[in-house]
Amino acid sequence: MQTISTFVQVASFAGALFILIGYAGEQFGWMSARRPVYNVVNAVGSVILGIIALRPFQLGFVILEFAWAAISLYALARCFRAKPAA
């Protein structure tokens, strides 16, 4: 049986918490998916969980978390793209 270190437990809790803050914030109207903070908390949480999923390697979780991070970072970049003058 493999023992999971306290550091990994705390890091995975933090990663899940970041994602849940974004999700709850969007659902309760505290955040908007079109604002940078939402995409930052999603990207940070998913990168943390993706790194944790690398060892032991869990293909489904690795794909899910790194895809989630890539989508969040793309959305974050869109937030900072210059908007055309009206």
Side-chain angles (χ1 to χ4, degrees), residues 6-76:
T6 302
F7 174 77
V8 171
Q9 290 286 8
V10 170
S12 65
F13 176 78
L17 190 60
F18 274 107
I19 290 174
L20 289 171
I21 287 169
Y23 178 71
E26 192 0 82
Q27 292 299 310
F28 293 118
W30 308 327
M31 292 182 189
S32 168
R34 300 198 185 278
R35 305 292 295 181
V37 69
Y38 174 83
N39 295 299
V40 167
V41 296
N42 270 296
V44 169
S46 59
V47 166
I48 291 169
L49 292 175
I51 291 168
I52 290 169
L54 289 172
R55 187 173 173 123
F57 189 75
Q58 299 174 49
L59 181 61
F61 289 124
V62 169
I63 291 170
L64 172 69
E65 295 304 334
F66 285 118
W68 192 313
I71 293 165
S72 297
L73 291 171
Y74 174 78
L76 183 62

